[in-house]
Amino acid sequence: MRRLTGRCFCGGVEYAVDDAFVYAAICHCSDCRRTTGSAFKPFAGIEREKFSLTKGGGSLLIYGEAESHNAHCVACGSLLYSLVREAKWVHVAMGTLVDAPTIRPTHHIFVGSKAPWYEITDDLPQYQGHKQ
Ligand SMILES: [Zn+2]
Ligand SMILES: [Zn+2]
């Protein structure tokens, strides 16, 4: 299995993940806007056991609960990934990948709370909330 690497802005935290993401989407919810400082967050989902921290695992700022949280680098603040779905899945913030994954985002979610100053210009399916 091809492994992808990713890292935070300062390089203090690095991870490895199988190039086997099960889904990928672009989230426009206000939480994703604020955690990234961007108009939206492209993320890719994979089973937790296929993701591992390879550097700086002790340098994470965990925001949220044990089984559901965002993981940032404590030094530079990058949002690296979210632990979701009873801690069984990881949503990798795709902007932190160093290597290009095979998967591409296939749809937009939470378009109902999209930033009014951003216009979606591709033809991917759009959902008001989660994908139905
Ligand atoms: Zn960092
Ligand atoms: Zn979101």
Side-chain angles (χ1 to χ4, degrees), residues 27-33 41 43 109-110:
C27 187
H28 294 265
C29 83
S30 60
D31 288 348
C32 286
R33 289 210 303 277
K41 181 183 78 175
F43 68 94
I109 60 174
F110 288 95

Side-chain angles (χ1 to χ4, degrees), residues 7 12 15 19-21 28 31 36 40-41 50-51 53 61 67 87 90 108 114 122:
R7 67 173 175 84
Y15 62 83
D19 185 19
F21 290 108
H28 294 265
D31 288 348
T36 62
F40 51 77
K41 181 183 78 175
K50 296 179 180 174
F51 173 94
L53 290 163
L61 182 156
E67 300 211 322
V90 170
H108 297 270
K114 178 179 77 61
D122 61 44

Side-chain angles (χ1 to χ4, degrees), residues 14-108:
E14 297 182 357
Y15 62 83
V17 61
D18 286 357
D19 185 19
F21 290 108
V22 179
Y23 52 87
I26 297 170
C27 187
H28 294 265
C29 83
S30 60
D31 288 348
C32 286
R33 289 210 303 277
R34 289 193 168 79
T35 53
T36 62
S38 183
F40 51 77
K41 181 183 78 175
F43 68 94
I46 194 164
E47 299 90 337
R48 185 184 186 179
E49 59 272 17
K50 296 179 180 174
F51 173 94
S52 54
L53 290 163
T54 52
K55 179 184 173 187
S59 303
L60 288 175
L61 182 156
I62 301 298
Y63 186 84
E65 311 301 320
E67 300 211 322
S68 170
H69 60 243
N70 288 336
H72 302 254
C73 170
V74 74
C76 72
S78 288
L79 172 62
L80 291 152
Y81 66 92
S82 303
L83 195 61
V84 298
R85 297 164 71 184
E86 298 174 332
K88 293 186 174 70
W89 289 75
V90 170
H91 283 177
V92 170
M94 293 180 76
T96 63
L97 286 166
V98 172
D99 304 309
T102 299
I103 201 168
R104 296 289 183 270
T106 57
H107 54 284
H108 297 270

